[in-house]
Amino acid sequence: MTKVVDGTKTRKLVRQAAFGAVVGAAVTYLFFELGEGAVDLDDPVRVAAAASGIVYALIGLFVAVGALVPGAGAKFLNVEDADELVEERAKIGPAALGCFLMGMLLVALALTPGGLSRDVAVSVSTVCFAGLVALHFWTRGRVDEFNQSLSREASALAMHISLVFLGGWAALAHLGYVEWIAPLALLTAFAVLELGAIFWVVGKRGLLVPR
């Protein structure tokens, strides 16, 4: 019986991952297709920033929908049932908003210049940065010790990886062996490394096991 249940949960997780991948790919394709000219497709930095921003924003939206509509969220999020989403709503809500704000920040910068004017990009970036800072201080003391531990471990891992790769790149650029990466590429790299570190730590703690 256990094997059957485990197999069912695994298939559910695979379906959820496939659904997320398909939606992400479709939204990214439509973004670049419908917004033709807004992002310079010949500029890999802006393309990477826009794609990363879309991923962040979609994660935030998926989790937010799950928190607001637990019955539906239980079908596409890796949770036991809708009750778990209700219980965790206060924790995952701010995280969802943080992901969305980071996504909008990256997308706004990727669209400038071109799809957005500099003034609009400055306004969007300011709101996003202010929102992220406010979320950080608002959640302090409201998150349990386990989630605080996850956050610290993920942040430390992202910092160490950034030090090795970006610090190594900086050293090579200083010595004249390579060109230093663009500011937007640096911001995108930090965001991607942070997201990757979160998934790694969460997976290591067993939280990605099919529920």
Side-chain angles (χ1 to χ4, degrees), residues 60-204:
L61 286 174
F62 280 147
V63 176
V65 170
L68 294 173
V69 191
K75 298 182 184 301
F76 57 80
L77 295 177
N78 187 33
V79 294
E80 288 283 355
D81 50 34
D83 290 338
E84 182 178 349
L85 284 172
V86 174
E87 294 173 1
E88 298 293 324
R89 182 178 289 165
K91 301 174 185 177
I92 65 177
L97 179 56
C99 278
F100 183 77
L101 289 175
M102 177 56 74
M104 290 298 96
L105 172 64
L106 291 172
V107 170
L109 294 177
L111 289 172
T112 308
L116 292 179
S117 67
R118 186 174 65 176
D119 290 340
V120 173
V122 169
S123 299
V124 173
S125 300
T126 300
V127 170
C128 290
F129 269 122
L132 289 169
V133 172
L135 277 175
H136 171 73
F137 285 103
W138 187 81
T139 55
R140 290 179 63 182
R142 291 182 170 87
V143 180
D144 58 49
E145 185 176 344
F146 177 70
N147 282 284
Q148 288 180 7
S149 175
L150 289 178
S151 179
R152 287 194 297 267
E153 188 175 349
S155 295
L157 178 60
M159 183 191 71
H160 293 320
I161 296 175
S162 298
L163 180 62
V164 171
F165 287 98
L166 298 179
W169 192 304
L172 291 174
H174 176 72
L175 295 172
Y177 288 104
V178 297
E179 293 291 330
W180 179 234
I181 61 178
L184 182 56
L186 182 62
L187 178 60
T188 303
F190 280 134
V192 171
L193 289 173
E194 180 71 20
L195 187 61
I198 291 172
F199 274 101
W200 175 266
V201 170
V202 168
K204 189 176 69 172

